[in-house]
Every structure is written in C-alpha cells, then in structure tokens.
Amino acid sequence: MSVTYRYRRQDFGALPVRLEHIDIGLNFIEARVEGTALLRMTAMEDIEKLRLDARDLAIHSVEYGSEGGSALQYKYDAASAALLITLPGAVSKGQPFSI
C-alpha cells in the first residue's frame, strides 16, 4: 500500500525551531530499514520541549548533541504521529542545538 503525504509550509504555522541541516543514515536489512537522523536546529523561541512529526516509526533512542550525545526523555505518540522530546534544559532563542 502506497501512501502519499503532502504538506505545505503554511500547514505548520510558526515553528519553535529552524532546521539548519539534517544528516540521515539508512541501513536496508531484508524486510526493514534502520535509520539514524541528526537534526541541527536553531531555537526560534525559548523552549524546553519539542514536538516532532513522526509516523510509523520504532524509536529506540533520542540524544541531545551530536553522535554519542546525552540521552533525552521522549514519548512517541503513534495515535497523533508525534515524537515528544524533553530537552535537558531551556534552549534560548537563537541558540543552535542538535538532536
């Protein structure tokens, strides 16, 4: 079954972060795909929590900082297709950070 998702920038309203760059690594293993993603962002407002859209994923870990960063508390809400992340402390407006 193929599903196509179409989003426009205005569908999201004002975002708390600006995505600067994303590094994605994929490993194709028989009937599944394992992946990692490093999101480099800048806070557009003071934030302590972050909500990311995430659909049909098995999340194994979320870390703050680059590879080998500190583990973060998170909840994957499959019903609302959201990954809810608690940051290690307040991230100030204009501050770059990575997850």
Side-chain angles (χ1 to χ4, degrees):
M1 178 173 126
S2 176
V3 177
T4 301
Y5 299 101
R6 293 182 185 211
Y7 299 103
R8 297 172 304 185
R9 173 63 191 94
Q10 58 267 31
D11 293 337
F12 297 97
L15 301 176
V17 298
R18 179 179 61 229
L19 181 62
E20 304 293 349
H21 188 79
I22 183 168
D23 293 318
I24 299 174
L26 298 174
N27 189 9
F28 296 88
I29 305 170
E30 296 180 17
R32 71 180 196 279
V33 177
E34 294 180 353
T36 60
L38 176 64
L39 292 92
R40 299 174 198 275
M41 300 171 273
T42 300
M44 300 306 290
E45 59 190 51
D46 295 345
I47 57 173
E48 294 181 8
K49 295 184 179 200
L50 186 60
R51 180 189 186 278
L52 300 174
D53 292 336
R55 184 175 305 278
D56 300 328
L57 298 176
I59 310 289
H60 296 285
S61 68
V62 177
E63 298 175 354
Y64 187 79
S66 56
E67 242 179 87
S70 57
L72 293 175
Q73 292 181 352
Y74 68 93
K75 177 183 175 190
Y76 177 50
D77 184 356
S80 66
L83 176 60
L84 309 165
I85 301 169
T86 301
L87 299 172
V91 176
S92 301
K93 179 178 180 177
Q95 180 180 345
F97 67 103
S98 298
I99 292 188

